[in-house]
Amino acid sequence: MSEENLYTFENEQYRKTYWHTCSHVMAQAVKRLWPEVKLAIGPSIDEGWYYDLDAPFAFSPEHFEKIEAEMKKICKEKIKLERFELPRTEALEFMKDEPYKVELINDLPKDAIISFYKQDEFTDLCAGPHLDSTGRIKANAFKLTACNAAYWRGDSSRKQLQRIYGIAFPKKEELDEYLAQQAEARKLDHNKLGRDLEYFTTVECIGQGLPILLPKGSRAIQQMQRWVEDVEEKNGYLLTKTPLMAKRELYKISGHWDHYLDGMFVMGDPDDETKECFALRPMTCPFQYQVFLNRQRSYRDLPMRLGETSTLFRNEDSGEMHGLIRVRQFTISEGHLVLRPDQLEEEFKGCLSLAKYFLSTLGLLDKCTFRFSQWDPKNTDKYEGTAEQWDHAQSVMEKILNHLGLAYKVGIDEAAFYGPKLDVQYKNVFGKEDTLVTIQIDMLLAQKFGMYYIDENGEKKLPYIIHRTSLGCYERTLAYLIEEYAGALPTWLMAEQVRILPITDRAADYAEKLCAELKNQGFRATADFRREKIGKKIRDAQMEKVPYMLIVGDKEVESGEVNVRHRAEGDLGNMTRDAFAALLKDVIDTKAKK
């Protein structure tokens, strides 16, 4: 990066340092206004920053105005930020009035450097880095954007805090542009649009991250699931159906008990070995392995491609929940391929090709990016296997990706605990990135489960395993589709594909007959018999994103035709019933993006 761009937002490190300093400025403003508020953590994130606060009141827009005004004062005061270190005992004494900071200090390793950043009367426990002065922050180019509930350390059994989010830029014009973009994004946010159009809802007494799919959402996901299962069957996948839970012993074999217990829903005491303890499955791999293990396998049985529409459960951080994108129960197109080492590259290529086909058909592929997720050799506690095994697995995967000519970014410390993976990433309308599809190479778990096959020489060999999804999480995919199409999903996914709108009562019998005819042909049709003007019926159908409207009056009754209107293309004119049925069938069969 050029010298002139080193201290601009083009430099990610500078951008995050800027936002991190903003979080300290916000915390200082809060403490000046309400000294009784206790501080938790305040990192920079992908867009801006947040700070978790324990306050004896609920923050409101009026509080935001006061905080922003105080932040502007702090910026104009041009306070220097000074770093210093303290021994553990002195650090604990220094932070004795901040219980969350005390807990963080106590949890640091014995040899950790305990550092602080001071700005005038305000000091925060922090590793940094920060800007050298609050004056570096443009006083009219930041905004507090939201306040959500967040459990301390993401643990629902701990204190519920308030998380205030903010954003800042070097210029006011950039802030204004960002806020305008966010306003447009809110119109497309599936979390609002999906509820307004009745794709899904949530109910407080059921719980956060546990959405109810309404008929529209249920139908869309059903169509995707059937499609994926049919295509996978044509590609040699064997369908499985495995339990939603298992005893802890299964997860201990796989390693999930040691590496993923905090993310699992456990039934029973995980520490009491004298009693049975179960957990809802956060993944399907150890279950599907039992299909391979059901009898002795030969090299001729490989590759074995196992696919399943899997419902999974993960105890996500409450602060990360968002509509259908981040949930605690979800369904994925999960699969595991057991194969010989010489089959690895071809099978990996097939997995990627399948994922691209599904995403391209849905109209999402062009906005996807690819991340080669690797382990972090400096953080080995969260991974299984040796450095040599990881180097081998990652070098094999790198060679495959390069052979495929795939453009990707490397993500350090983003791998699964048992192997590297290719993550297909997608951003929602707010720019928040999540994984849609993942393809993982696993050279470790087969040995844990004793998954040997007999090779051509009669010797026992360990296979490689590919963990993969072909469309990923259906709920998350639906969320992205709602945002991509502004709620007007492609016709083949819509719960209501045709709405018949009789102009007069005299046309009602014809509309009813036409509706039954279309249903018998396999189309999802309804009729609007309300005594409303035709203009209102059309507007209502448009608002509900119904793909095709058939307007029928005395003229259509006499001719036996239909007047066809499309939600985006407008009036398509009169057609025979057979001609319309043929048009609709083609749109659905080709999975056209309209």
Side-chain angles (χ1 to χ4, degrees), residues 81-85 113-118 126-128:
L81 280 87
E82 301 171 307
R83 184 182 186 276
F84 65 92
E85 299 171 7
I113 295 172
I114 304 174
S115 61
F116 298 82
Y117 277 84
K118 181 181 185 300
C126 187

Side-chain angles (χ1 to χ4, degrees), residues 142-304:
F142 59 77
K143 184 74 176 173
L144 302 185
T145 55
C147 183
N148 296 331
Y151 291 109
W152 171 232
R153 297 189 132 176
D155 186 344
S156 59
S157 67
R158 306 291 300 273
K159 183 70 180 287
Q160 189 177 77
L161 308 176
Q162 295 181 76
R163 177 172 294 177
I164 297 180
Y165 291 88
I167 190 70
F169 293 92
K171 296 178 182 177
K172 185 178 184 302
E173 295 78 14
E174 293 173 315
L175 174 65
D176 292 341
E177 182 182 350
Y178 172 84
L179 294 176
Q181 290 172 346
Q182 293 296 292
E184 286 300 309
R186 281 192 289 275
K187 296 177 185 178
L188 298 174
D189 179 12
H190 86 278
N191 204 19
K192 182 180 186 304
L193 191 57
R195 295 172 193 271
D196 291 346
L197 291 173
E198 298 187 350
Y199 280 100
F200 76 99
T201 188
T202 50
V203 180
E204 189 172 343
C205 63
I206 290 177
Q208 193 177 19
L210 298 169
I212 303 293
L213 289 169
L214 300 173
K216 287 182 182 179
S218 299
R219 184 66 69 184
I221 286 182
Q222 180 198 57
Q223 295 303 302
M224 286 191 281
Q225 288 179 356
R226 287 175 172 176
W227 172 48
V228 168
E229 288 181 356
D230 288 347
V231 172
E232 287 185 343
E233 184 179 5
K234 291 176 183 176
N235 281 267
Y237 280 79
L238 304 173
L239 186 65
T240 68
K241 187 174 179 59
T242 56
L244 299 180
M245 66 179 79
K247 299 196 303 187
R248 73 180 138 217
E249 284 71 21
L250 180 75
Y251 303 115
K252 283 191 172 184
I253 297 171
S254 67
H256 289 92
W257 199 255
D258 294 328
H259 294 277
Y260 204 76
L261 184 60
D262 289 343
M264 296 165 67
F265 290 101
V266 178
M267 294 170 284
D269 185 349
D271 299 317
D272 186 351
E273 298 286 344
T274 66
K275 296 179 180 178
E276 280 191 329
C277 180
F278 290 80
L280 296 175
R281 64 181 185 188
M283 80 305 296
T284 313
C285 45
F287 296 84
Q288 281 197 324
Y289 294 165
Q290 308 311 311
V291 177
F292 176 90
L293 290 166
N294 188 53
R295 60 177 171 83
Q296 180 64 64
R297 303 293 176 178
S298 159
Y299 72 99
R300 295 183 183 277
D301 296 321
L302 307 182
M304 176 181 280

